[in-house]
Amino acid sequence: MSVLVSGSIALDHVKTQKASQENLLGGSASYAAIAASYFSPVGIVGVVGHDFPSEHLELFKRKKINLEGIEFSSGETFRWSGEYMEDMNDRETLTVALNVLESWQPAVADSQKAATTINLLANSHPLNQHSVIDQLGDGPGFTIADTMDLWIQISRNELESLLRRIDLLVLNDSEAKLMMDTSNVVAAGHRLRAMGPKYVIIKKGEHGAMLFAEGEFFACPAFPLHEVFDPTGAGDSFIGGFAGYLASLGKSSYDFSDLTSAIARGTILASFTCESFSTHALDDLTPGAFEERLAAFRTFCTFA
Amino acid sequence: MSVLVSGSIALDHVKTQKASQENLLGGSASYAAIAASYFSPVGIVGVVGHDFPSEHLELFKRKKINLEGIEFSSGETFRWSGEYMEDMNDRETLTVALNVLESWQPAVADSQKAATTINLLANSHPLNQHSVIDQLGDGPGFTIADTMDLWIQISRNELESLLRRIDLLVLNDSEAKLMMDTSNVVAAGHRLRAMGPKYVIIKKGEHGAMLFAEGEFFACPAFPLHEVFDPTGAGDSFIGGFAGYLASLGKSSYDFSDLTSAIARGTILASFTCESFSTHALDDLTPGAFEERLAAFRTFCTFA
């Protein structure tokens, strides 16, 4: 019962109004894999360059993540730098260097294929996401894909065909509205479902997330944080935690309440991600701290 | 066990991308009173002009609202007109004519004073809100005040002194951030509580609402609507429904779970308001339709 996470592995340079740090572990697959590893065994598929610090690989190893799907290239690692304004909802991307990511083709290792029950296609080019599905064949019981505005804009056809091959699509509210050309996020969720996936999760950052299914719906607030230190990777941590929790159930199929439980767990992991640079708070997360926050979160959402 | 609602009574001209209508019943007190009347007896305190249509008064009467606190002036009724863009979150105020509201001083009728257990100060000038508190004396067990950006900007001192006289402050997220000079809505909620009220509710429109209390917190999503017809008055309906539900409990004090239950009810009433012009959907609301939506809403918010 394992999650396979494919997507980007990055070196981030993040500036906030309070601090700045370079060579941070970043990328959609990194956050999602480390979050998923809190709940279940994980394999990762991605590419890194010669400049990728060994400490980041050590972190993956410490989390018992199967690294056999990582390609070690002689080029430079994908790099992203961004700056957060005083309002953490305002982020400016300063530079993006695709580097080794540009020509990367994901290669799932044999040791990863057999174990996979949840296939998490973290944000990446839709053609790479198709490729991972092709390589896994009929193996995994449940396939999740994340996407972003860039692919909606430049790779719409490949994204639409992907929607017919996955069980669950996850994306931000602005992206859902963009893709469905509507200002109503509820309408966007239902219409996205009609394009293929049985489930759609729309992420709304500080406003939580919504799950759309046939005749069912779930809305989950975010965990309330008095202070957000660095929200980079929160969405990736959310879906990684979601996938890891599902895998940990050891089932061959999931019902709606499994998914809502998984959303609550993903929400808690995302809240920790927001409290440090990179995956630092996730790295240090203890069951005590997680359970305490989950218990509080239950009371935050309960009414009679 | 009655709610006293004071605030504005307006004639609205609302334009959406689909329809437009004039002389609609509007104003903070109108929406809040009609919403509250779903749950409990209500009295209203406000002012109208000679042009105020009798059909609107008939509606108040049909809802068994005590009208003795309404001043009938020879001037013109307060008028507001606004236009909603395709994205219902974008609203442009076209004209505002205060008219009789400009020199209005609220006068609570004796028949209203005795019955009041919840004093709902719907959005209005803080000096008017102070005046209603003065007139009610120690009578009501629970005082709620709504406010808006205008009063935060031009009447800050009177608003701050009001905060020390009320049990619960309710305002929008943008207003909470403005008042506390922070971009973090959670921090804003806690800091507003520190200024006086035992409870603070921050309304987030389509993203729901948050309740802040000493050592306790509650987050409630909005009821998901595929289509929003006219959101004017949704916030007023929310807090009116909240207050009416509390009054209906017949208690002399309320615990945190009473407030969370009231927020869920207010959320349902606000969702109906969004589905028609003015208070039309509230006017026609049946217990069957309300209970059906509340039952669905419970499932939307439940996780294990």
Side-chain angles (χ1 to χ4, degrees):
Chain A
M1 296 298 172
S2 175
V3 180
L4 186 71
V5 181
S6 54
S8 63
I9 301 173
L11 293 175
D12 285 353
H13 179 185
V14 178
K15 294 182 191 181
T16 73
Q17 299 303 299
K18 292 190 174 161
S20 169
Q21 205 165 322
E22 293 188 77
N23 290 317
L24 292 162
L25 177 61
S28 63
S30 305
Y31 279 103
I34 290 171
S37 76
Y38 181 79
F39 294 107
S40 92
V42 174
I44 191 168
V45 178
V47 62
V48 300
H50 68 84
D51 54 345
F52 193 70
S54 60
E55 67 193 72
H56 296 339
L57 289 173
E58 283 303 320
L59 169 60
F60 287 143
K61 283 189 193 169
R62 221 164 43 239
K63 298 294 176 186
K64 301 195 169 30
I65 294 170
N66 177 331
L67 304 181
E68 292 190 39
I70 293 186
E71 176 189 335
F72 294 89
S73 166
S74 59
E76 306 246 303
T77 304
F78 168 46
R79 285 178 182 266
W80 175 84
S81 86
E83 179 171 3
Y84 289 91
M85 308 305 142
E86 197 279 329
D87 183 343
M88 282 288 177
N89 294 304
D90 288 345
R91 178 173 88 175
E92 193 182 338
T93 291
L94 301 174
T95 59
V96 179
L98 288 179
N99 299 333
V100 297
L101 197 61
E102 192 153 15
S103 58
W104 174 61
Q105 307 227 335
V108 182
D110 287 339
S111 65
Q112 296 178 321
K113 282 179 194 171
T116 300
T117 53
I118 303 265
N119 177 17
L120 172 52
L121 307 164
N123 179 35
S124 179
H125 194 294
L127 287 180
N128 285 338
Q129 296 176 312
H130 275 288
S131 167
V132 172
I133 293 177
D134 293 339
Q135 292 174 60
L136 283 174
D138 293 334
F142 201 82
T143 300
I144 302 167
D146 197 346
T147 194
M148 72 186 290
D149 48 2
L150 179 66
W151 314 128
I152 294 169
Q153 283 156 341
I154 70 170
S155 195
R156 172 107 189 184
N157 288 344
E158 294 83 350
L159 184 55
E160 289 197 6
S161 59
L162 184 77
L163 295 186
R164 296 188 286 275
R165 304 184 74 188
I166 62 176
D167 298 288
L168 187 150
L169 174 71
V170 59
L171 75 180
N172 290 334
D173 50 352
S174 61
E175 295 160 349
K177 292 176 189 174
L178 170 73
M179 185 151 177
M180 292 295 95
D181 193 24
T182 173
S183 59
N184 185 307
V185 71
V186 179
H190 286 288
R191 287 186 214 159
L192 281 164
R193 264 198 72 242
M195 296 180 76
K198 186 173 178 188
Y199 302 106
V200 170
I201 291 178
I202 296 184
K203 297 175 288 182
K204 306 196 298 174
E206 63 171 320
H207 302 301
M210 296 172 154
L211 169 64
F212 298 84
E214 168 99 51
E216 292 185 286
F217 175 81
F218 175 61
C220 190
F223 188 89
L225 294 175
H226 300 225
E227 197 179 340
V228 172
F229 182 80
D230 172 14
T232 310
D236 303 311
S237 305
F238 165 81
I239 201 62
F242 174 91
Y245 178 78
L246 278 191
S248 77
L249 297 177
K251 291 175 149 188
S252 59
S253 70
Y254 309 101
D255 58 28
F256 192 75
S257 68
D258 294 329
L259 302 194
T260 60
S261 297
I263 285 176
R265 272 74 178 175
T267 296
I268 300 302
L269 289 195
S271 73
F272 283 105
T273 292
C274 291
E275 295 186 310
S276 73
F277 274 134
S278 186
T279 60
H280 297 171
L282 286 186
D283 306 348
D284 301 335
L285 183 59
T286 63
F290 173 83
E291 292 297 339
E292 184 183 345
R293 196 165 277 193
L294 181 63
F297 192 54
R298 271 184 218 288
T299 73
F300 296 168
C301 303
T302 303
F303 67 86
Chain B
M1 298 298 171
S2 176
V3 180
L4 186 70
V5 181
S6 55
S8 63
I9 302 174
L11 292 175
D12 285 353
H13 179 185
V14 178
K15 294 181 190 179
T16 72
Q17 299 302 301
K18 292 189 175 163
S20 168
Q21 205 165 324
E22 293 188 79
N23 290 317
L24 293 163
L25 177 62
S28 63
S30 304
Y31 280 103
I34 289 171
S37 77
Y38 181 79
F39 295 107
S40 92
V42 174
I44 190 168
V45 179
V47 61
V48 301
H50 68 85
D51 54 343
F52 193 70
S54 59
E55 69 194 71
H56 296 338
L57 289 172
E58 282 304 321
L59 169 60
F60 287 144
K61 282 189 193 168
R62 220 164 46 238
K63 297 294 176 186
K64 301 194 168 34
I65 294 170
N66 178 329
L67 305 180
E68 292 189 39
I70 292 187
E71 177 189 335
F72 294 89
S73 167
S74 60
E76 306 246 303
T77 305
F78 167 48
R79 284 178 183 266
W80 175 84
S81 86
E83 179 171 3
Y84 290 90
M85 308 305 140
E86 197 278 328
D87 183 343
M88 281 290 176
N89 294 304
D90 287 346
R91 179 172 88 176
E92 193 182 340
T93 291
L94 301 173
T95 59
V96 179
L98 287 179
N99 299 331
V100 298
L101 196 62
E102 191 152 15
S103 57
W104 174 61
Q105 306 227 334
V108 183
D110 287 340
S111 65
Q112 295 179 322
K113 283 179 195 171
T116 300
T117 51
I118 303 265
N119 177 17
L120 173 52
L121 307 163
N123 179 35
S124 180
H125 194 294
L127 288 179
N128 285 337
Q129 296 176 311
H130 275 288
S131 167
V132 171
I133 294 178
D134 293 339
Q135 293 174 60
L136 283 174
D138 292 334
F142 201 82
T143 299
I144 301 167
D146 198 345
T147 195
M148 72 186 291
D149 47 1
L150 179 66
W151 314 128
I152 294 168
Q153 282 155 344
I154 72 169
S155 195
R156 172 106 189 186
N157 288 345
E158 294 84 348
L159 184 55
E160 288 197 7
S161 59
L162 184 77
L163 294 186
R164 295 187 287 273
R165 303 184 74 188
I166 62 176
D167 298 290
L168 187 151
L169 174 72
V170 58
L171 74 180
N172 290 334
D173 51 351
S174 60
E175 294 160 349
K177 292 178 191 173
L178 170 73
M179 185 150 176
M180 292 294 96
D181 193 24
T182 173
S183 59
N184 184 306
V185 72
V186 179
H190 287 288
R191 288 187 214 159
L192 281 164
R193 264 199 72 242
M195 296 180 76
K198 187 174 178 187
Y199 302 106
V200 170
I201 292 178
I202 297 184
K203 297 175 289 182
K204 305 196 299 174
E206 64 171 318
H207 302 301
M210 295 172 155
L211 168 64
F212 297 84
E214 168 99 48
E216 291 185 287
F217 175 82
F218 175 63
C220 190
F223 187 88
L225 294 176
H226 299 224
E227 196 179 342
V228 172
F229 182 80
D230 172 13
T232 310
D236 303 312
S237 305
F238 166 81
I239 200 63
F242 174 91
Y245 178 78
L246 277 192
S248 76
L249 297 176
K251 291 176 151 188
S252 58
S253 70
Y254 309 101
D255 58 27
F256 192 75
S257 69
D258 294 329
L259 301 195
T260 59
S261 297
I263 285 176
R265 273 73 179 175
T267 296
I268 300 302
L269 289 194
S271 75
F272 282 106
T273 292
C274 291
E275 294 186 310
S276 73
F277 274 134
S278 185
T279 61
H280 298 171
L282 286 186
D283 306 349
D284 301 335
L285 182 59
T286 62
F290 173 83
E291 292 297 340
E292 183 182 346
R293 197 165 277 195
L294 181 63
F297 192 53
R298 270 184 220 289
T299 72
F300 295 168
C301 303
T302 303
F303 67 86

